[in-house]
Amino acid sequence: MAPFGGAAAWEAAATAAARYAISVWPIRLELCRSAHPRRNWFQLEEYLRGDDRIVLPIGSTEQHAYLSLETDNILAERVAVEAAEPLGVPVLPVLAYGLTPSFGAYPGSPTLRVATLVAVVQDLLDSLHAQGFRRILIVNGHGGNVPVDAARREWSAAHPDAEVLFHNWWIGPRMWELVQELDPGASHASWMENFPWTRLDGVELPADRKEPLRQPLPAAPAAMREVAGDGQYGGFYVLPDTDALRLWAAGVQETRELLASGWRR
């Protein structure tokens, strides 16, 4: 069901949000990277008297073809900040390393082991729970971090007084509907992740469309690089910002709705 008066109203809101984002993105980028330090511990202690929600973005530092190595981190953190800001919910700095073993042949793509990532996330959940947070939203920016979903379920089973949600921000229903409308087959490092805040100055992106890579992809790093080439998995490298930012607006809105009303209690 489409919120806020139906599909037409949603489309109008998404278009307006995209136009606004184009006009202010340089300012918002600076705000995003400095949003967390705006609160000190005294303020969080006061916040916990009336609310127990917090957001933990997780990502991965890895190749994204012509885009920043920090693309997953930038997007997970930024979508979390923009979603949480109107609700007054604090957002932690992004966990910037995840599971990306198959990209080992691309320089600048370090990986954690599954056991390491799971241990780090569960340690963070333990710590946040001890401080009084009971509703924790993990906003994931990297498809390889799927084991975190299982880890938060395991943790939740042992902590019945708390709730942890896991959200892959880029594959919500409205976002996926837009992808199918604009470029079916778009995937990793394509226009779907190409925003003003993930591009690199002076780096020109191809104007054509890459055929989606044949699945399943190899796990071995050398074989992956041979198959993936520049690292993009399929779809256009670039679409107009008006289209990309419609997608962004949908992702922010879906994340905000989950943070506002996706809890059992």
Side-chain angles (χ1 to χ4, degrees):
M1 180 181 296
F4 311 121
W10 163 253
E11 180 69 17
T15 301
R19 289 173 178 162
Y20 175 75
I22 291 172
S23 69
V24 303
W25 77 260
I27 299 172
R28 293 293 301 139
L29 178 60
E30 181 61 29
L31 290 178
C32 179
R33 298 304 300 187
S34 62
H36 335 286
R38 288 183 176 179
R39 300 197 198 203
N40 57 38
W41 75 266
F42 301 103
Q43 293 168 315
L44 277 183
E45 186 170 69
E46 180 63 28
Y47 164 83
L48 279 166
R49 291 188 170 91
D51 204 330
D52 59 5
R53 293 173 295 174
I54 195 165
V55 184
L56 170 61
I58 64 173
S60 178
T61 301
E62 62 176 43
Q63 74 83 11
H64 276 76
Y66 301 90
L67 303 175
S68 170
L69 289 166
E70 276 211 81
T71 291
D72 287 346
N73 302 327
I74 293 168
L75 296 180
E77 183 175 277
R78 185 182 179 110
V79 78
V81 168
E82 291 194 19
E85 192 172 39
L87 304 176
V89 176
V91 177
L92 294 163
V94 67
L95 181 60
Y97 299 96
L99 303 178
T100 184
S102 295
F103 287 162
Y106 292 91
S109 303
T111 188
L112 300 177
R113 290 172 294 178
V114 173
T116 303
L117 179 61
V118 166
V120 168
V121 169
Q122 291 189 335
D123 281 354
L124 291 172
L125 294 178
D126 283 342
S127 181
L128 292 169
H129 182 265
Q131 293 170 10
F133 294 99
R134 293 294 181 269
R135 290 177 292 172
I136 304 165
L137 173 61
I138 299 174
V139 174
N140 180 41
H142 173 55
N145 289 340
V146 171
V148 172
D149 192 12
R152 63 96 186 181
R153 289 178 180 274
E154 179 183 64
W155 186 92
S156 297
H159 298 81
D161 63 332
E163 185 173 3
V164 181
L165 303 179
F166 181 85
H167 178 52
N168 293 314
W169 78 269
W170 72 96
I171 53 174
R174 289 195 294 274
M175 284 198 70
W176 199 243
E177 183 179 347
L178 280 171
V179 171
Q180 297 311 301
E181 171 194 329
L182 295 167
D183 183 23
S187 188
H188 175 78
S190 72
W191 67 274
M192 288 180 61
E193 299 184 286
N194 179 2
F195 298 98
W197 40 89
T198 57
R199 297 174 198 147
L200 299 174
D201 292 341
V203 176
E204 185 175 349
L205 280 74
D208 57 348
R209 184 179 190 275
K210 185 174 182 178
E211 283 300 310
L213 301 181
R214 183 178 177 182
Q215 302 290 328
L217 293 171
M224 172 64 86
R225 179 160 172 170
E226 182 177 353
V227 168
D230 64 7
Q232 204 253 47
Y233 279 15
F236 288 105
Y237 290 83
V238 182
L239 282 184
D241 275 348
T242 50
D243 288 331
L245 290 169
R246 282 172 62 205
L247 192 71
W248 180 256
V252 171
Q253 186 60 38
E254 288 178 326
T255 304
R256 185 177 298 146
E257 289 170 3
L258 185 61
L259 182 58
S261 57
W263 313 96
R264 293 191 311 270
R265 59 184 179 86

